[in-house]
Structures are given as structure tokens and as C-alpha cells.
Amino acid sequence: MATEEEDEVEWVVESIAGFLRGPDWSIPILDFVEQKCEVFDDEEESKLTYTEIHQEYKELVEKLLESYLKEIGINEDQFQQACTSPLAKTHTSQAILQPVLAAEDFTIFKAMMVQKNIEMQLQAIRIIQERNGVLPDCLTDGSDVVSDLQQEEMKILREVLRKSKEEYDQEEERKRKKQLSEAKTEEPTVHSSEAAIMNNSQEDGEHFAALPSEIQGS
């Protein structure tokens, strides 16, 4: 009996892990985190805005999970049992379950949002440097200058960084499609050349065969 129960828990954990890796979960969660993370910083004091965003996040997580659990036929007790089982406490499982745990634990949620905010800023700054060769003056005038910017200036800067990232991604996608298109165009050309050579060889053979036998003999 214990084995059957363990097998059931393992199946539930694997099913949930598969869902959390899939697009139905990851896309809306990532969109939410990226759109809302810019107001989060690593200061100890938590703002009222943080609590409001956390509540929105919690509602989104509950909506996504309830829809999936209902579809797959997993009840709340099975879900809770799976989340507290040893299988869910491994390093890999904890990483996968972090967005779920963040819905109930504000500390985990804030740390996740701060980390994503830093990642997006660093990525966008790197993209600006790659595109322009240099960083904007406001990012190089001093090691602590960014934290001293006024709130409105910071908002503008982040918007510029986000736009630059989007443009960079679009440009990379355009280049990738162009390379694929060129590769497909070159392949038929090579085949056509080979076919032309074979065709010419065949025509030469037919022409030779059509010559009078006395000419061929000479």
C-alpha cells in the first residue's frame, strides 16, 4: 500500500514539474515577473506596492494551477502532499517549484523579483554596450550614480533599456531567418548545377551514339 502511495506522489510531482516547465505556465509567469519587477530593489524595507503586486501574482498562480490540476485530475490534498514530499525537496525540484512557493512566501517572491530586475538591467546594459560600443554617461559617471537618480529618470532609463533589448532580440531573429533563407536558396542551386552537369553528360553520350559508325571508328 505504501508503495502505491509513493508511486502516486511521484506521478503527481512529475506531472506538476512537467506543467511548470511548459509554456502554459512559464510564459504568463515570466511576462508578469518581467513587467512588474522594475519597482523592486534589495532594500530591507518593503513598500506597499510590493504587497499589491504579490497579491496579483498569487491570484495568477492560483488561477494557472487550479486550471491545470482540474484538467489532469489532481485534487488539492494530492497537490499539497506532493509539494511536501521528499521528491519536492531536492535541489532541482526546489528550483522548479520556486515560482509556486513565491505565491505563498513573500520573502521568496521579493528575492525572485529583485533578481529578475537586476538580470534585466544587466542584460539590457550589455546590449546597449554591444550596439553602441560604449555605455551611456549616466552609467559610467560613478559607481553609485544609478542609485542616486530620481525616480522619474530611473523609470525612463529602464524603459530605454527594455526597448533596446526588444530591438536586439528582433534583430537577432531577423538575422537567423535570413541565414535560414539563404541556406535554403543555396541548396537547390547546388543540386541544379549537379543536374546540369549530368544532363550535359547524357546529351554528349547521345550525340556520340548518333554519329555514323565510320566516323566513330575513325
Side-chain angles (χ1 to χ4, degrees), residues 50-61:
Y50 296 177
T51 306
E52 294 173 349
I53 294 176
H54 184 231
Q55 182 59 36
E56 292 178 24
Y57 179 79
K58 184 177 180 179
E59 292 173 0
L60 173 62
V61 168

Side-chain angles (χ1 to χ4, degrees), residues 43-87:
E43 295 180 2
E44 292 186 8
E45 182 182 357
S46 293
K47 304 171 185 175
L48 177 61
T49 309
Y50 296 177
T51 306
E52 294 173 349
I53 294 176
H54 184 231
Q55 182 59 36
E56 292 178 24
Y57 179 79
K58 184 177 180 179
E59 292 173 0
L60 173 62
V61 168
E62 289 177 349
K63 177 182 176 182
L64 294 173
L65 281 177
E66 285 176 5
S67 176
Y68 172 72
L69 296 178
K70 183 178 180 180
E71 177 184 343
I72 206 71
I74 298 174
N75 59 45
E76 187 174 345
D77 290 339
Q78 290 174 310
F79 176 73
Q80 293 296 336
Q81 187 177 7
C83 289
T84 55
S85 71
L87 290 172

Side-chain angles (χ1 to χ4, degrees), residues 2 27 29 42 78 80 90 92 106 136 140 158 166 171 204:
I27 290 176
I29 291 295
D42 56 359
Q78 290 174 310
Q80 293 296 336
T90 64
T92 302
F106 177 77
T140 58
R158 282 172 172 158
E166 290 175 359
E171 179 66 17
D204 290 343

Side-chain angles (χ1 to χ4, degrees), residues 124-182:
I125 289 171
R126 185 170 63 252
I127 291 170
I128 287 179
Q129 189 172 21
E130 289 176 356
R131 288 169 63 92
N132 302 331
V134 295
L135 291 174
D137 292 340
C138 63
L139 296 176
T140 58
D141 286 345
S143 59
D144 201 34
V145 68
V146 175
S147 62
D148 293 335
L149 292 174
Q150 295 297 326
Q151 186 65 30
E152 188 61 27
E153 292 175 329
M154 180 62 83
K155 183 177 179 181
I156 294 173
L157 173 62
R158 282 172 172 158
E159 185 62 25
V160 171
L161 295 177
R162 182 177 289 106
K163 290 294 183 182
S164 296
K165 178 181 180 298
E166 290 175 359
E167 292 174 1
Y168 178 82
D169 291 342
Q170 290 172 2
E171 179 66 17
E172 289 298 305
E173 180 65 16
R174 188 188 67 79
K175 288 180 181 178
R176 189 183 69 81
K177 289 181 178 179
K178 183 178 179 182
Q179 289 174 350
L180 289 174
S181 177
E182 290 175 349

Side-chain angles (χ1 to χ4, degrees), residues 18-29:
F19 170 66
L20 298 180
R21 291 191 188 100
D24 291 342
W25 165 270
S26 58
I27 290 176
I29 291 295

